[in-house]
Amino acid sequence: MAQENLPVVHVINGRQKKLLQGHPWVYGNEIERVEGEAQDGGLVSVVDFRGRHMGTGFYNSKSLITVRLLTHRQEEITDALIASRVRAACDYRRFILRREGTDSCRLIYGEADRLPGVICDRFGGVVVLQILALGMERYTQVIADVLISCEKPESLLLQNDDAIRRKEGMECFTKVLHGALPQETIIHENGVKLAVDVMGGQKTGYFLDQKDNHLFLRQFCRDARVLDCFSYIGGFALNAAAAGAREVTAVDISEAAVGMIEKNAALNGASIQTVCANCFDYLRAQVKAGETYDVVVLDPPAFTKAHANMANACRGYKEIALSAMRLLPPGGVLATHSCSYHMPEDVFVNTVLSAAQDLHRQVRVITLRRQDIDHPVLAGYPESHYLKSLWLQMLD
């Protein structure tokens, strides 16, 4: 379909500013009217209230994000354009990630790589691809072909089983598009070996956004007693052990995750005590028992997936911070995280610091970190910055 013949989505007055700044989404409540026959998954042109062109993107009436813009310019959306963006995403990772002992990274981070709804992670020789937006489904093979050409993986898994696809009106399925999956996928991160479940694990199998923060933790862990809560498969715990911690405890509510922590500890010859428990309950029990730790890590799942639930999320972050601070003596280090983009950085920081105020304890802010740089932040798209990593030292 020629671009000039596309259906036209008219954005209500006042909502064009974010598009001018580079935001790639148009929500349903931002649309004044649609001119022409817009098809779910089809391309549309977006204009402001004066009729000025704002961009071209995919339309989906079933999604809260009704239009996902592919371009803010007057350019045709073609296989060649999509292919060029996949190559650019892979090139960017080669440009920024030259780390010894690490063979895994995020290759495509959706809108931040100007490929809406496309997620791709490399786990050693295995590349895992997810298509989470209806309009991008037609480009699956184009994307896969470029990934195979650029990355030369042993296997490429299309893991389209995320619940987001159902909200977009798509089927959920998993399919090997290239090669054969190994019986076991073992990756290397900062020299640590990690067994990753690419078929049954969370998201694509493992969260690659904390690699640099895992490494940052090491400097605080020599001869330390370390508690890693919401550990998943043990990323922080394994790095603490690698740094020479005298004792490491990893806690997760999932039996499968705890099993993976134990497997990964064995892979690295590390001694890690594992606990399958609700971390809120476990932290309270440790406080009641009078336990102390030199380092506590809190890396919970997103407490809110909507702005309306932010007050409840703040209560959750504060509760675990209060417990963690009670476990830390003067000099102890707390590394606490939020992975929800609905939780603004300043609100998260102030929530955690208010816990110290309630305990009448002074804290030093060591640093405030973000997701690793293979999860880039796109200017004009604040949702691409989601991970907040606050590091504190208890002073008294």
Side-chain angles (χ1 to χ4, degrees):
M1 183 184 288
Q3 193 157 313
E4 61 268 19
N5 296 326
L6 293 177
V8 179
V9 170
H10 293 258
V11 177
I12 63 175
N13 189 8
R15 301 300 174 94
Q16 70 275 10
K17 184 180 177 184
K18 70 168 193 175
L19 301 179
L20 287 167
Q21 291 171 340
H23 203 286
W25 293 346
V26 180
Y27 289 100
N29 63 3
E30 296 175 326
I31 296 172
E32 181 188 328
R33 70 183 192 279
V34 180
E35 197 178 317
E37 294 294 320
Q39 302 295 318
D40 286 349
L43 290 168
V44 294
S45 178
V46 177
V47 300
D48 71 1
F49 70 104
R50 289 194 179 100
R52 293 179 299 184
H53 182 73
M54 294 280 101
T56 304
F58 292 120
Y59 182 85
N60 189 351
S61 63
K62 296 184 180 72
S63 175
L64 283 174
I65 304 167
T66 307
V67 182
R68 295 174 186 264
L69 290 179
L70 277 156
T71 178
H72 291 75
R73 298 177 178 175
Q74 291 276 12
E75 60 183 333
E76 274 203 73
I77 309 304
T78 62
D79 288 4
L81 177 71
I82 300 300
S84 71
R85 290 188 176 177
V86 176
R87 278 192 292 273
C90 293
D91 288 346
Y92 170 68
R93 275 66 183 185
R94 273 189 285 276
F95 174 63
I96 60 161
L97 290 175
R98 297 184 178 92
R99 295 181 187 165
E100 283 189 24
T102 298
D103 60 6
S104 301
C105 71
R106 172 145 293 182
L107 290 172
I108 301 173
Y109 177 36
E111 282 80 347
D113 282 302
R114 301 187 300 163
L115 291 162
V118 180
I119 299 295
C120 183
D121 287 335
R122 175 158 199 153
F123 299 110
V126 178
V127 168
V128 180
L129 173 64
Q130 286 186 326
I131 308 292
L132 304 177
L134 179 61
M136 293 301 293
E137 187 105 270
R138 74 182 74 175
Y139 296 106
T140 299
Q141 197 59 52
V142 172
I143 294 166
D145 288 345
V146 177
L147 287 168
I148 293 164
S149 172
C150 288
E151 295 297 313
K152 297 177 174 53
E154 295 164 21
S155 56
L156 191 152
L157 173 67
L158 182 63
Q159 200 201 70
N160 279 349
D161 62 351
D162 196 291
I164 292 172
R165 284 178 58 88
R166 291 195 186 93
K167 295 178 182 177
E168 287 272 315
M170 297 187 284
E171 291 180 11
C172 289
F173 65 95
T174 302
K175 182 180 180 182
V176 176
L177 293 182
H178 170 76
L181 280 180
Q183 282 194 315
E184 189 173 51
T185 302
I186 296 176
I187 66 169
H188 298 81
E189 181 195 288
N190 308 322
V192 169
K193 293 178 186 174
L194 286 157
V196 173
D197 184 358
V198 296
M199 289 293 283
Q202 294 185 35
K203 300 295 184 180
T204 58
Y206 177 58
F207 301 104
L208 292 165
D209 50 6
Q210 290 276 30
K211 297 185 300 299
D212 207 35
N213 292 328
H214 289 159
L215 188 61
F216 189 75
L217 176 74
R218 292 190 185 189
Q219 63 199 299
F220 307 110
C221 292
R222 178 166 293 280
D223 299 324
R225 189 178 192 220
V226 180
L227 175 62
D228 176 20
C229 290
F230 311 94
S231 186
Y232 188 38
I233 66 170
F236 280 110
L238 288 159
N239 277 270
R246 76 171 186 275
E247 182 185 320
V248 181
T249 302
V251 187
D252 200 278
I253 197 169
S254 162
E255 286 185 14
V258 168
M260 290 294 281
I261 298 168
E262 291 169 351
K263 182 176 185 175
N264 286 324
L267 269 176
N268 291 277
S271 176
I272 295 176
Q273 179 186 342
T274 58
V275 179
C276 187
N278 178 303
C279 289
F280 283 83
D281 297 339
Y282 186 80
L283 284 163
R284 282 192 292 265
Q286 292 296 98
V287 171
K288 191 173 180 180
E291 297 287 347
T292 60
Y293 294 87
D294 302 297
V295 179
V296 176
V297 179
L298 306 173
D299 188 19
F303 285 162
T304 176
K305 295 187 177 179
H307 187 76
N309 297 329
M310 200 164 72
N312 285 337
C314 287
R315 281 192 285 274
Y317 289 120
K318 185 167 183 176
E319 181 181 336
I320 56 175
L322 280 164
S323 291
M325 289 176 183
R326 288 183 172 117
L327 296 172
L328 289 165
V333 172
L334 170 62
T336 183
H337 304 83
S338 168
C339 62
S340 172
Y341 73 78
H342 293 288
M343 175 60 58
E345 192 171 73
D346 60 335
V347 175
F348 175 65
V349 171
N350 289 333
T351 297
V352 175
L353 294 182
S354 72
Q357 292 162 12
D358 286 2
L359 295 174
H360 304 291
R361 297 187 68 180
Q362 284 200 305
V363 296
R364 172 184 287 129
V365 177
I366 299 171
T367 188
L368 181 58
R369 298 168 64 83
R370 291 184 169 186
Q371 65 237 37
D372 209 342
I373 56 175
D374 54 353
H375 293 61
V377 175
L378 180 69
Y381 175 47
E383 290 87 347
S384 56
H385 168 217
Y386 66 95
L387 182 66
K388 279 72 67 173
S389 177
L390 178 62
W391 299 67
L392 305 174
Q393 185 182 42
M394 312 306 295
L395 293 181
D396 55 21

